[in-house]
Amino acid sequence: MRRRSIGIFLLVLVLMGGLMLRLYDLSGQNLSQAADQQAGLTVTVANVRGTIYDANLRPLVNAETEYRVSLTASPETLAAVSSCLDAAALETLTERLQEGKPVAAVLDSLPSPADGLAVFETPVRYSEPLLAPHVLGYLDGDGLHGATGAELVFDERLNDCAGKAETTYTVDATGRPLQGIAPTLSNTLGRAKAGVALTIDADIQKIAENAARQYIRKGAVVVMEPSTGRIAAMVSLPDFQPSTVAENLNNTDAPLLNRALCNYNCGSVFKIVTAAAAIEAGIPLSTSFDCAGSLDVGGITFHCHNRLGHGGLTMTQAFAQSCNPYFIRLAQRMGGQTLYAMAVALGFDRPVILAEGWKTARAVLPSETELLSPAAVANLSFGQGALMATPVHIAQLVAAVVNDGNIVRPTLLKGMVDENGALTEEPVSPAQSAFSASTARTLRELMKTVVEEGTGRSARPFELGAGGKTGTAENADHSDNLTFIGFAPYENPEIAVAVVIEYGGKGDAAKETAKAVFEAYFAETLQKEAKRAETTVTEGTE
């Protein structure tokens, strides 16, 4: 019995000893981990997303820099930064340092060197005034992810390219830096040079924004390179700046809305589609119809903008004068199904995909069943009724005329940029034929007539010529939207332009906007060519 009791006692001792050893091991690990955590304190000074570039690899964000620092509380560090901050900012910084832990701050200028002060020159995400704010978009409330525009569409890419600036301090158990031990600096901000290149050309974007602000309160301008579909400028007014996003969230004018991607009634610019369908159907330009100022179709009266009527007109004359009754008769002759098929071929039944995850509103066509109604065909013939499309759709239409009847899908993505600045270009979408090259040549001639002697005369640039088409679309409240689409120069066109003005009334604002874009573009092009020639001569001399 006594031997059994001793055995149990020894077993209990062994178990207790093992338990104590395990507790010691666990507590030792926790203490070790706590000590490791207390040994280093990392301050993130800057966290920068990848860069968004224009078509010529000029940064549209991260374009400017500022000085950011991490510092510890000492008379030397405060003296070094005091001249780089205003009084209020210095007071706030001093209060933060009173806790005894290192902090990060943004300075107005480069500080003097000091112990306990780490300085980084870091990119500024947005520099105001920001070009193309609707295209670039803005970040969410936390500043970590894109909320709209390119910031949202390429959010994953831009975050994958993010860089950081960090300072790690050796600290005591209370988190205060230990004196005499220099912090460890980590700077990967160079990674943020990688990112995405848009098709936006900063020079052309400035031209379009300046022209738009001169003539437009609400509306949009799209400038596109016809041969590639690359959008060189996209303007939406009213606009915003990154610092004004919050105050504009409930603005009834909707300045955060990108109107270039929104649907509008097309108006008479759609007569290009009607003319294309008629010419493809074999109806000659010499075909004549009378305009008496209005036309009755199925008991509905459709008016011409010239209420007195144009009299007898050929297709060329009717296109130049934008005569509604003529185009109604033209649609009646070829049939609604023929017109519908041409509209579909030109993309007026779908959205335009500008990049993966980035698209316009879906254009709206009356259905084939609706077009069994003569009145619906009449409405469609001159761009009214159920028809809706975005400024990008009608820019695409102009490009098809320039490209011998071939559609090239509009895009805002030029390619991806790596950390070394090398661009991997996104291939241009293959062209799709909508109508013949001979029809395209005829349409270009018709559009030239509009600018030379028709309703678009005030859009004619001083030099090199252009082609275009005007449009006025009536809204549900009986107000008018003004539209102009065109291309320039007339020979070997380089740009296609679409202008839409909401509630623009009756006037020349859309045409004047396009003219301002054409002329500024020509001036910019000539200036660049002169600089290139001067550089070539200089290099040859050397």
Side-chain angles (χ1 to χ4, degrees):
M1 185 71 174
R2 184 169 177 274
R3 184 178 301 171
R4 184 180 176 188
S5 298
I6 292 172
I8 292 172
F9 177 72
L10 290 173
L11 179 61
V12 170
L13 283 178
V14 170
L15 290 173
M16 289 293 292
L19 181 60
M20 291 179 68
L21 285 172
R22 179 59 179 158
L23 287 172
Y24 178 80
D25 181 56
L26 289 173
S27 62
Q29 287 180 17
N30 291 336
L31 288 171
S32 176
Q33 290 173 1
D36 288 343
Q37 290 171 358
Q38 292 176 346
L41 174 65
T42 298
V43 176
T44 299
V45 181
N47 192 348
V48 181
R49 281 160 61 91
T51 303
I52 304 172
Y53 294 91
D54 87 337
N56 297 305
L57 298 187
R58 291 172 291 190
L60 296 170
V61 300
N62 296 346
E64 297 182 0
T65 59
E66 64 188 1
Y67 293 106
R68 293 191 174 215
V69 298
S70 64
L71 68 162
T72 56
S74 72
E76 292 79 15
T77 55
L78 282 173
V81 302
S82 61
S83 62
C84 306
L85 295 168
D86 60 35
L90 183 60
E91 182 179 353
T92 300
L93 179 61
T94 303
E95 290 174 358
R96 292 170 61 202
L97 286 169
Q98 286 176 356
E99 297 182 9
K101 297 180 180 179
V103 299
V106 180
L107 304 183
D108 297 328
S109 58
L110 181 65
S112 304
D115 289 338
L117 180 67
V119 182
F120 299 89
E121 187 173 2
T122 65
V124 178
R125 188 66 184 172
Y126 302 122
S127 303
E128 298 186 7
L130 184 71
L131 275 177
H134 290 93
V135 177
L136 295 178
Y138 53 87
L139 301 176
D140 61 16
D142 296 326
L144 300 176
H145 294 283
T148 63
E151 292 280 24
L152 172 62
V153 173
F154 304 109
D155 185 64
E156 184 177 353
R157 166 68 178 173
L158 297 173
N159 274 335
D160 286 345
C161 300
K164 285 186 178 182
E166 296 178 324
T167 307
T168 301
Y169 294 87
T170 302
V171 295
D172 61 21
T174 65
R176 297 172 183 269
L178 297 176
Q179 298 297 316
I181 302 178
T184 301
L185 308 185
S186 173
N187 186 347
T188 60
L189 294 174
R191 294 186 70 247
K193 291 179 181 178
V196 60
L198 303 181
T199 59
I200 296 296
D201 183 307
D203 295 328
I204 301 175
Q205 181 71 26
K206 289 175 187 175
I207 286 169
E209 289 187 9
N210 290 339
R213 289 195 178 95
Q214 189 174 352
Y215 297 101
I216 302 174
R217 194 181 82 82
K218 282 186 180 180
V221 178
V222 174
V223 182
M224 194 167 76
E225 186 179 79
S227 60
T228 64
R230 288 171 174 162
I231 295 173
M234 180 178 283
V235 183
S236 177
L237 290 177
D239 62 4
F240 66 93
Q241 289 294 304
S243 61
T244 66
V245 169
E247 66 191 62
N248 281 315
L249 288 173
N250 298 314
N251 190 323
T252 55
D253 283 336
L256 302 183
L257 180 69
N258 187 349
R259 287 168 162 81
L261 308 184
C262 296
N263 273 338
Y264 292 91
N265 295 108
C266 288
S268 289
V269 296
F270 191 78
K271 287 172 182 171
I272 297 173
V273 181
T274 307
I279 296 166
E280 288 283 288
I283 300 175
L285 295 183
S286 59
T287 302
S288 179
F289 295 117
D290 285 329
C291 168
S294 64
L295 183 65
D296 183 277
V297 179
I300 299 175
T301 301
F302 293 90
H303 292 283
C304 185
H305 67 89
N306 183 348
R307 295 303 176 94
L308 298 177
H310 290 105
L313 295 169
T314 64
M315 195 188 305
T316 301
Q317 293 167 330
F319 194 90
Q321 298 304 320
S322 201
C323 176
N324 291 344
Y326 183 96
F327 277 85
I328 293 172
R329 292 278 180 83
L330 199 60
Q332 289 173 335
R333 174 167 291 191
M334 65 178 153
Q337 299 307 308
T338 300
L339 179 55
Y340 177 85
M342 180 58 71
V344 170
L346 287 163
F348 282 90
D349 65 334
R350 52 192 178 271
V352 176
I353 308 300
L354 301 169
E356 186 177 351
W358 205 354
K359 63 183 179 181
T360 68
R362 176 185 291 274
V364 179
L365 269 176
S367 68
E368 292 180 272
T369 302
E370 288 176 284
L371 290 175
L372 295 175
S373 162
V377 175
N379 254 327
L380 182 61
S381 71
F382 61 96
Q384 289 284 174
L387 176 68
M388 302 281 281
T390 73
V392 175
H393 282 89
I394 58 176
Q396 178 180 250
L397 170 61
V398 180
V401 174
V402 170
N403 290 331
D404 289 336
N406 296 312
I407 290 182
V408 179
R409 178 172 61 83
T411 181
L412 278 168
L413 174 62
K414 186 163 186 183
M416 298 298 167
V417 181
D418 68 18
E419 193 174 324
N420 298 314
L423 172 68
T424 302
E425 288 199 25
E426 188 78 3
V428 174
S429 296
Q432 296 181 329
S433 178
F435 47 82
S436 68
S438 62
T439 295
R441 284 193 297 274
T442 301
L443 291 172
R444 289 197 294 273
E445 291 169 3
L446 292 177
M447 292 175 73
K448 180 180 181 181
T449 304
V450 170
V451 173
E452 293 291 337
E453 55 192 68
T455 56
R457 288 189 299 275
S458 56
R460 187 185 187 282
F462 291 128
E463 296 182 65
L464 302 179
K469 183 70 188 77
T470 58
T472 303
E474 186 176 352
N475 297 309
D477 61 0
H478 302 295
S479 63
D480 289 331
N481 292 341
L482 300 181
T483 306
F484 180 86
I485 58 177
F487 61 87
Y490 179 73
E491 300 292 342
N492 302 314
E494 296 177 17
I495 57 171
V497 176
V499 180
V500 177
I501 302 179
E502 290 183 27
Y503 312 113
K506 301 184 191 305
D508 291 340
K511 293 172 275 187
E512 294 285 359
T513 302
K515 178 181 179 179
V517 171
F518 289 150
E519 292 185 345
Y521 173 81
F522 292 153
E524 182 80 21
T525 301
L526 290 172
Q527 187 177 16
K528 287 180 178 178
E529 288 176 353
K531 285 183 179 178
R532 280 195 292 268
E534 183 179 338
T535 302
T536 302
V537 170
T538 303
E539 290 175 349
T541 303
E542 291 176 351

